Every structure is written in structure tokens, then in C-alpha cells.
Amino acid sequence: MDFADRSCLDVGILSDTHVPHRMKQLPKALFEALSGVDIILHAGDVDKPAALDPLRALAPVFAVRGNVHVLDLSTGGASLPGTVELCLAERSVVVTHGYLPSLTGLWFKGRDVILRLINASEKAQFNARIARRLTALHPLADVIVFGHTHRAFTDWVGDTLLVNPGAVCPTLREVPTVARMTLNRAEIHVAFLTLDDVASR
């Protein structure tokens, strides 16, 4: 299906599902939250790409790989591309996990785990730092979707909208979230949905 020339699109965005290492399967509330979308973007840490197959019943799925998780014995979905670039409703959209694939990235990840354990997480700053780096890497993008931090985030950096839908899998001191983004020629609108709230409807 050609999404480039559509005048309006409803886009489902999720990340960090970690199936089957941290969740046995995708939660029912996820399917309810993404019901009716035209396309689904997954910003990495799938663990097993086949776990996304049930989402394809809702809409076409575009997913990227995440980072290696040594304790989970997971490659983060290494068979998936590192970056996906799409033209959606005449806008340039980049999907990537957002991590630094190097020792520096491993250091930041370890630091974040320690800060989270002592309840001193800097996830807001972590998201903003990733957003600035990704904007520099993809200066022509209208929208950049990323994950990795397990915390929902959206902000404009210049003319680029950055969106992190948060994580689907349970995370210490976070709530599972996804995002829905409406794209049209006039505006871009992003709404975050808490899966616990969807499940309780």
C-alpha cells in the first residue's frame, strides 16, 4: 500500500515490547489501543520479530532492531533493519531505536539502570539527549520515532518532531504506553495511551 500520497494517516507507534524475554506475549490492551490505525511503527527491542506477526492483522508493520540485552540473552531483534525511512502523508518519517551502538551506549545504558534502581533516573534528560543526537543525524526528517528509554516523550527540535512512545513491557517506575499519531498536510498530532487505562475500559 502506498502511504506517501495519502492526505491523512493514523499511525500507531510502539517500542520495547521485549517478547518473549520480558513478556510472554503482546497484551490484549495493545491491540485495543492500536485498533483502526493505518500503519504501525515499532521503534525496536522486539526480541523475537515473529512476536509482531499478530499486529499485522491490524495494519502493515514497520519495525527496527533494538540493542543487545546480555542478561536477557536477546539481540533486540538483530535481523531487523537499524533504521527505517518512510514517506507518510507527504512527510519524511524516520524510525530508529535511538541507542548508541558502541561502548558509549553500553555505558549510558548501565548508568541508567543504576539510576533507576536508586530512584534517581534521568529519563527526561536521556530522551532529550537522544532527540538532539537523532535530529543531527537526520536533519531532513519531519518526524523521528525512537524508543530505548521506556519513557514516553515528544518534543520539537527545530522543524522536526521527536516521538518516543514509551515501552509496552512492564518497567520499574514506568507505566506501559503506546502512541497514536495523526499525520496530515496541515498538522501532526500525537496522543499517548496508557495500556492499563485501555485495559480497564
Side-chain angles (χ1 to χ4, degrees), residues 31-180:
F31 296 88
E32 295 174 19
L34 299 183
S35 176
V37 299
D38 299 303
I39 185 173
I40 296 171
L41 307 179
H42 191 300
D45 276 354
V46 173
D47 287 347
K48 301 288 184 186
L52 297 180
D53 287 347
L55 287 174
R56 299 182 201 286
L58 297 178
V61 176
F62 293 87
V64 296
R65 65 174 170 261
N67 54 293
V68 172
H69 298 84
V70 177
L71 296 180
D72 291 340
L73 301 178
S74 170
T75 63
S79 63
L80 297 167
T83 303
V84 170
E85 298 184 23
L86 301 165
C87 184
L88 303 178
E90 301 182 4
R91 296 181 184 271
S92 171
V93 179
V94 173
V95 185
T96 186
H97 189 50
Y99 74 107
L100 283 167
S102 63
L103 289 176
T104 304
L106 188 61
W107 183 87
F108 276 115
K109 180 67 175 179
R111 188 188 73 154
D112 184 61
V113 169
I114 292 168
L115 289 172
R116 191 164 63 243
L117 289 174
I118 63 173
N119 200 21
S121 178
E122 299 176 320
K123 285 193 178 179
Q125 293 88 342
F126 195 12
N127 270 326
R129 189 165 57 243
I130 292 172
R132 289 192 300 271
R133 178 170 52 80
L134 292 178
T135 305
L137 286 172
H138 305 283
L140 300 180
D142 295 308
V143 179
I144 300 175
V145 173
F146 68 99
H148 190 49
T149 68
H150 290 218
R151 176 175 287 185
F153 168 89
T154 185
D155 195 15
W156 288 90
V157 178
D159 294 327
T160 303
L161 179 64
L162 284 294
V163 181
N164 182 337
V168 171
C169 77
T171 304
L172 183 66
R173 300 189 184 93
E174 300 291 341
V175 294
T177 56
V178 297
R180 289 182 71 135

